[in-house]
Amino acid sequence: MIKSDPRADDDLQLNMTPMIDMIFLLIIFFLTATTFAEKEREQEVQLPSSHGVGSLSKALDRHLVVNVLQDGQIIVDQKRCGTSELKALVADRNSRANHALKVKLRVDRRALFEHVSRALDAVEGGGVARPHIDKKAVDLQP
């Protein structure tokens, strides 16, 4: 009859070090492989809240994003511009695009309609007949 050594049961341990190392390596991999597109997140713009929240980063590659601030300033590609500059920029991008350019307007909820109207007129003057006004974006706090 074979007797088991009582000390053998006490010595059984599960080595967690390789598993913890692997978890940290996976976390580091996913953090470095993920792109964080923060191209058009102007903090001065407060958008009206909405129930549906859409992803801003997916649309950045296919759209020209125009921000209209509370005081009527227009920001495109993180640069302030006037209505004539916006019109010229939209016309230039529309002529270089291989398909119809899509323009997305992000308007501060405190902005007057007069400012929105000027931006819409400039975009339409640049050749985009139906610009999109973003209503699914999250509310940004300054």
Side-chain angles (χ1 to χ4, degrees), residues 19-118:
M19 186 168 55
I20 293 171
D21 288 343
M22 196 60 173
I23 297 292
F24 281 122
L25 286 175
L26 285 172
I27 290 172
I28 291 170
F29 171 76
F30 286 120
L31 284 175
T32 56
T34 304
T35 58
F36 297 102
E38 297 290 329
K39 185 176 179 182
E40 288 295 330
R41 290 203 176 255
E42 295 296 331
Q43 294 299 315
E44 299 173 13
V45 177
Q46 289 186 4
L47 297 172
S49 59
S50 177
H51 295 291
V53 177
S55 173
L56 182 62
S57 61
K58 291 180 185 175
L60 289 177
D61 298 333
R62 300 184 311 259
H63 294 81
L64 175 65
V65 179
V66 177
N67 293 302
V68 180
L69 301 182
Q70 176 186 8
D71 59 356
Q73 293 183 35
I74 299 171
I75 299 178
V76 180
D77 292 330
Q78 299 176 347
K79 296 176 188 161
R80 297 184 192 275
C81 63
T83 54
S84 59
E85 295 168 337
L86 176 61
K87 182 177 177 180
L89 178 69
V90 170
D92 179 53
R93 294 274 294 266
N94 200 17
S95 66
R96 288 188 290 146
N98 57 359
H99 60 290
L101 178 68
K102 295 180 182 178
V103 176
K104 179 182 284 192
L105 264 75
R106 296 179 68 235
V107 181
D108 192 309
R109 67 178 168 184
R110 300 168 295 179
L112 297 175
F113 183 73
E114 172 187 358
H115 304 309
V116 179
S117 177
R118 283 190 297 114

